[in-house]
Amino acid sequence: AIWIESIHGKVRVIAKIYAGAMPGVVSLPLSFGHKALGQWARNRGVNPMELVGASLDEWTGQVLKSSARIKVYKA
């Protein structure tokens, strides 16, 4: 178990090392975390979007929501 933390939030997850991942990159699947949606889905998993703040690209003005600088440490 590890904590993944950004300036926007912190989530506790079970880590798996994947040899095919780029070094220095942490990946989290989307759509596996719920805080509501009934008794079977409530409080299951984490939402990685809690770690990503909405910022704007300086060149295009588009909202950036796909990456964040994080800190990883043992839970």
Side-chain angles (χ1 to χ4, degrees):
I2 61 170
W3 285 103
I4 301 175
E5 182 177 357
S6 76
I7 61 171
H8 303 287
K10 176 168 96 168
V11 295
R12 185 179 184 274
V13 297
I14 302 298
K16 290 189 176 193
I17 305 297
Y18 175 63
M22 180 183 285
V25 173
V26 174
S27 299
L28 292 171
L30 292 174
S31 302
F32 286 119
H34 300 282
K35 290 185 177 180
L37 300 177
Q39 68 179 8
W40 303 112
R42 185 179 307 128
N43 298 322
R44 301 283 181 176
V46 298
N47 182 358
M49 295 309 288
E50 294 177 15
L51 302 174
V52 181
S55 58
L56 299 178
D57 181 88
E58 62 182 80
W59 297 100
T60 65
Q62 296 292 319
V63 176
L64 300 173
K65 286 192 155 204
S66 61
S67 64
R69 293 195 179 267
I70 59 164
K71 181 179 0 174
V72 179
Y73 50 95
K74 193 184 273 189

